Amino acid sequence: APPPPPPPLPPVARSVNHGQYGSHRTHESNIAPSSTNAPANIDPYPSNIRDCHQHQPEQHTNNIASQTSHPTSNKNNNFPPLPPSSSPSSPPPPPNAQYFPPGTWERYLRATNHNPIEAHRRLTSTQTWRRTHDMNAALTSPHPTFDVIKRYYPHSFHSTGYHGEPVYYEKPARIDLPALKREGVTMDRLLHHYAIITEFLWTHLSPHQDGPSSKGITVIDLDGMRLRDFAGEVVAFVKAAASFTGEHYPERSGRIYVLNAPSFFGVVWRLVKPLVDPVTLAKVCVVDSSSSDGDGDGAIRAALMERIPFENIPREYGGGSMVPLGYAPEEIMLRDLMSYNNNPQFGGS
């Protein structure tokens, strides 16, 4: 009898040009053209946005060398300027840097203000963490609780920013922890899931170590958040996830938008701000959608359009995206990969 045919390639391997996906494949102009243009009368700095623009904007340049294939890099487009690229000459990498993708050492140097001793300490810590949690096999191993977590934890990738930055949306108040526990999902498993999708983000959606698309945009929707939640397991999970991503995926955050903050959030935020690193604080934009004129969606849309094209913003946040949140190509790609890994015939390593 002839030998059986080889198993199909994982969905990621057969559908994505890894080196280019973060540069152009996720822009929605390549998915479904939108006939809706951004309203011309949107004030980019509405008065009801708190904390978003309290810092002076950086002096940016348009030097992106490796990113010129992205549609938004056309010099005729009036998009926001790009952040500066890399830093001056860097100290030589330590021996263990060879176990990471090229450019990782420079990213750790930027995260430590070019302190090679601290950068080496953090890189070594990351190496130990990856070995302990078997992160090198995270995207080829079964993830049996993936579908359950997706059902009770609203979070998804959705398109890109002006310069190819991956965009991630999350609704912490909508996490149904009791349901997850009934399904056998512990806090450790939930954190491992978060590590897997973070690895997916920086391995397949945007593998760049430098340039604009090497930093993501995070949108945190606090709609439904109660005061008691800030002392509960949901916030404990968010803090734990932020802790390991900050430590082991440094220099990956470009902008953090906090939407639909409850009325008491101002008090909580004033207490938290002094404890937040100034570099991180400068990236946080808290949007007040309780506009007196009733145009809360307009405030959210205007804030997000600082970094995200109108046609790439989900409609529930006032944008013109033709794809519902949770069904973007990035999400389909992630689900296909997890389905492949969970198939005993093909997945698992």
Side-chain angles (χ1 to χ4, degrees), residues 269 271-282 284:
W269 185 232
L271 295 174
V272 171
K273 282 176 67 174
L275 306 176
V276 180
D277 175 74
V279 175
T280 302
L281 187 62
V284 177

Side-chain angles (χ1 to χ4, degrees), residues 16-25 66-67 69 203-208 213:
V16 177
N17 181 336
H18 299 280
Q20 296 295 325
Y21 188 84
S23 299
H24 70 277
R25 287 289 301 278
S66 64
Q67 305 295 328
S69 63
T203 300
H204 294 302
L205 298 189
S206 187
H208 309 288
S213 63

Side-chain angles (χ1 to χ4, degrees), residues 63 147 206 243:
N63 178 21
D147 290 332
S206 187
S243 176

Side-chain angles (χ1 to χ4, degrees), residues 44-347:
Y45 300 102
S47 59
N48 60 342
I49 295 182
R50 304 194 313 268
D51 288 330
C52 293
H53 311 289
Q54 61 184 2
H55 304 276
Q56 291 296 323
E58 300 175 9
Q59 297 300 317
H60 297 320
T61 65
N62 281 319
N63 178 21
I64 52 171
S66 64
Q67 305 295 328
T68 53
S69 63
H70 192 278
T72 59
S73 63
N74 188 309
K75 64 182 180 180
N76 296 320
N77 289 332
N78 296 319
F79 293 135
L82 295 167
S85 186
S86 193
S87 49
S89 58
S90 303
N96 62 339
Q98 65 180 309
Y99 300 109
F100 295 87
T104 302
W105 170 242
E106 288 74 16
R107 184 159 52 83
Y108 275 72
L109 281 172
R110 293 195 300 272
T112 57
N113 199 23
H114 280 45
N115 182 333
I117 296 176
E118 177 62 13
H120 186 201
R121 183 200 67 77
R122 290 189 59 177
L123 190 69
T124 303
S125 172
T126 295
Q127 186 178 17
T128 301
W129 176 80
R130 293 187 64 85
R131 186 185 301 116
T132 301
H133 296 278
D134 199 18
M135 291 305 298
N136 287 347
L139 299 181
T140 57
S141 300
H143 182 6
T145 58
F146 176 81
D147 290 332
V148 170
I149 291 175
K150 274 293 188 179
R151 187 182 313 140
Y152 296 115
Y153 170 21
H155 62 294
S156 57
F157 300 106
H158 191 97
S159 203
T160 62
Y162 288 108
H163 305 297
E165 312 97 310
V167 187
Y168 171 77
Y169 293 81
E170 182 171 312
K171 300 179 180 180
R174 305 300 180 187
I175 300 177
D176 192 341
L177 285 179
L180 287 170
K181 289 179 180 179
R182 288 195 299 270
E183 297 285 351
V185 179
T186 63
M187 187 64 73
D188 285 343
R189 287 190 176 183
L190 196 59
L191 286 170
H192 184 64
H193 166 85
Y194 197 86
I196 290 173
I197 65 171
T198 303
E199 189 77 0
F200 171 80
L201 166 60
W202 301 120
T203 300
H204 294 302
L205 298 189
S206 187
H208 309 288
Q209 297 292 327
D210 195 8
S213 63
S214 69
K215 295 187 177 184
I217 301 170
T218 299
V219 181
I220 301 175
D221 187 348
L222 295 183
D223 184 42
M225 185 68 78
R226 302 161 297 180
L227 183 58
R228 66 183 183 184
D229 291 330
F230 283 89
E233 288 183 296
V234 169
V235 171
F237 162 71
V238 173
K239 290 171 62 178
S243 176
F244 80 74
T245 53
E247 179 68 18
H248 304 302
Y249 298 89
E251 285 293 294
R252 287 304 200 180
S253 177
R255 194 63 156 160
I256 302 170
Y257 291 98
V258 180
L259 311 181
N260 296 315
S263 58
F264 58 82
F265 183 78
V267 177
V268 177
W269 185 232
R270 281 194 295 272
L271 295 174
V272 171
K273 282 176 67 174
L275 306 176
V276 180
D277 175 74
V279 175
T280 302
L281 187 62
K283 301 174 183 178
V284 177
C285 169
V286 182
V287 183
D288 183 1
S289 58
S290 58
S291 173
S292 58
D293 60 5
D295 190 21
D297 287 346
I300 291 175
R301 178 179 56 219
L304 295 181
M305 284 183 64
E306 175 195 36
R307 296 295 178 95
I308 309 170
F310 174 77
E311 67 271 17
N312 287 5
I313 298 173
R315 290 182 178 272
E316 64 183 270
Y317 296 117
S321 173
M322 304 296 290
V323 182
L325 191 62
Y327 293 89
E330 297 87 347
E331 280 296 303
I332 295 174
M333 179 179 166
L334 174 60
R335 290 177 184 274
D336 284 350
L337 177 61
M338 294 298 107
S339 294
Y340 179 91
N341 290 344
N342 288 333
N343 186 327
Q345 183 178 358
F346 305 130

